[in-house]
Amino acid sequence: MRWDEVARARTLLFVPGHRPDRFAKAAAAGADGVVLDLEDAVSPADKDAAREHVRAWLADGNAAVVRVNGADTEWHDDDLAALTGLVTVVMLPKSEAASEVTATAAALGSGSGIVPLIETAEGVLGAREICAAPVTVRPAFGSIDLAAQLGVNPDSQRALLQARSSLVLAAAAAGCAAPLDGVTAALDDQQRLVGDTEHALELGFTGKLCVHPRQIAPVHAALAPSEDELRWARGVLAAAAGESVAVYEGQMVDRPVILRAQRILSRAGEGVGQPADG
């Protein structure tokens, strides 16, 4: 996947790297992209085989993000060597420093980008510098691993509220794309999935990691702006067109209001793009 595709993806679907029979099915499941996983989904005994399956699939011209093994593991260097020239963006688990992100991209070669997976306390505290690395496409939030380290319930929105908000702030301050929220592990609880997605959207996340194809459609629906939001955004931009000062529905329309309207329409794919800074 290209940098821009990953930056605007609403959903990325994980598929285990040692299951090549699932690669094409995952790619056709309707997610904005797939993550071929060499890390948590693959046992140590299957690491080498998984790496070869992923390398072969990419060599056939298929596109994906690849989650490599962490920089502190024995498999990391072999993962990067196998992927060089075949992948544009990789996901780096347990990212804790900008230097790790930069070194991983450098090993993959010029033009490579990283999705740092922030899933430790150290990673959350270092998120500003990680997001500011020139090779960072956007961060992703690893809620389950972080919750385990903190000793809290990974399903608790309150327990991880500060960490999620810190990651949104770090990405915004660094000027990279907004974060992807972590997975919802409850595969049969659509209400939970939608609630998690709506909570993440409210905080400023613009996408979510998925672990099953049936999660994709509900996440896309939860991330989409409502009809009322679309009506308001279109009305704001129409009122502001050619005017230095405008009013819409009794509200003064200034630059922050215009930027919000543009972001809403961008979420709906209406082609306004991301608003300029300033």
Side-chain angles (χ1 to χ4, degrees):
M1 294 181 68
R2 303 189 310 267
W3 276 53
D4 62 316
E5 293 173 327
V6 177
R8 64 174 182 261
R10 299 162 298 170
T11 49
L12 292 179
L13 175 64
F14 281 107
V15 57
H18 65 296
R19 294 296 306 269
D21 56 307
R22 296 183 181 178
F23 292 178
K25 294 177 183 178
D32 292 331
V34 297
V35 180
L36 304 182
D37 191 11
L38 297 176
E39 195 218 10
D40 279 353
V42 181
S43 70
D46 290 327
K47 295 288 189 185
D48 291 343
R51 188 184 303 118
E52 283 306 304
H53 290 316
V54 169
R55 188 203 62 77
W57 199 72
L58 294 170
D60 282 342
N62 299 295
V65 175
V66 179
R67 179 163 71 171
V68 297
N69 288 281
D72 61 345
T73 68
E74 63 185 280
W75 306 288
H76 180 75
D77 290 344
D78 288 340
D79 288 348
L80 300 186
L83 296 173
T84 299
L86 295 176
V87 67
T88 303
V89 178
V90 304
M91 182 178 290
L92 181 65
K94 295 179 174 61
S95 296
E96 295 186 335
S99 58
E100 296 173 349
V101 172
T102 302
T104 299
L108 289 167
S110 177
S112 298
I114 308 296
V115 173
L117 188 54
I118 307 298
E119 51 187 341
T120 67
E122 185 70 23
V124 172
L125 294 176
R128 172 65 177 85
E129 290 74 24
I130 294 169
C131 290
V135 295
T136 295
V137 180
R138 69 192 297 187
F141 185 56
S143 51
I144 295 176
D145 281 65
L146 179 61
Q149 183 185 16
L150 298 179
V152 301
N153 182 351
D155 294 333
S156 171
Q157 294 177 350
R158 177 180 295 181
L160 297 177
L161 175 61
Q162 182 175 351
R164 280 191 167 93
S165 292
S166 295
L167 191 53
V168 171
L169 288 170
C176 66
L180 292 151
D181 194 32
V183 303
T184 295
L187 299 183
D188 297 321
D189 191 344
Q190 183 169 319
Q191 183 176 357
R192 178 77 202 186
L193 175 66
V194 171
D196 286 349
T197 305
E198 291 175 343
H199 174 67
L201 177 64
E202 183 178 18
L203 295 179
F205 287 78
T206 58
K208 187 169 177 64
L209 303 175
C210 298
V211 290
H212 195 282
R214 65 173 171 261
Q215 294 182 322
I216 296 166
V219 170
H220 285 178
L223 290 173
S226 68
E227 287 301 318
D228 282 345
E229 288 178 306
L230 290 172
R231 178 197 57 77
W232 176 86
R234 293 170 185 142
V236 164
L237 296 185
E243 299 290 339
S244 57
V245 178
V247 175
Y248 181 69
E249 294 187 341
Q251 179 184 18
M252 185 180 72
V253 176
D254 56 6
R255 180 167 175 75
V257 174
I258 293 171
L259 293 178
R260 179 169 176 249
Q262 288 176 335
R263 289 190 177 99
I264 288 172
L265 295 180
S266 181
R267 280 168 49 206
E270 294 202 7
V272 296
Q274 292 296 323
D277 293 332

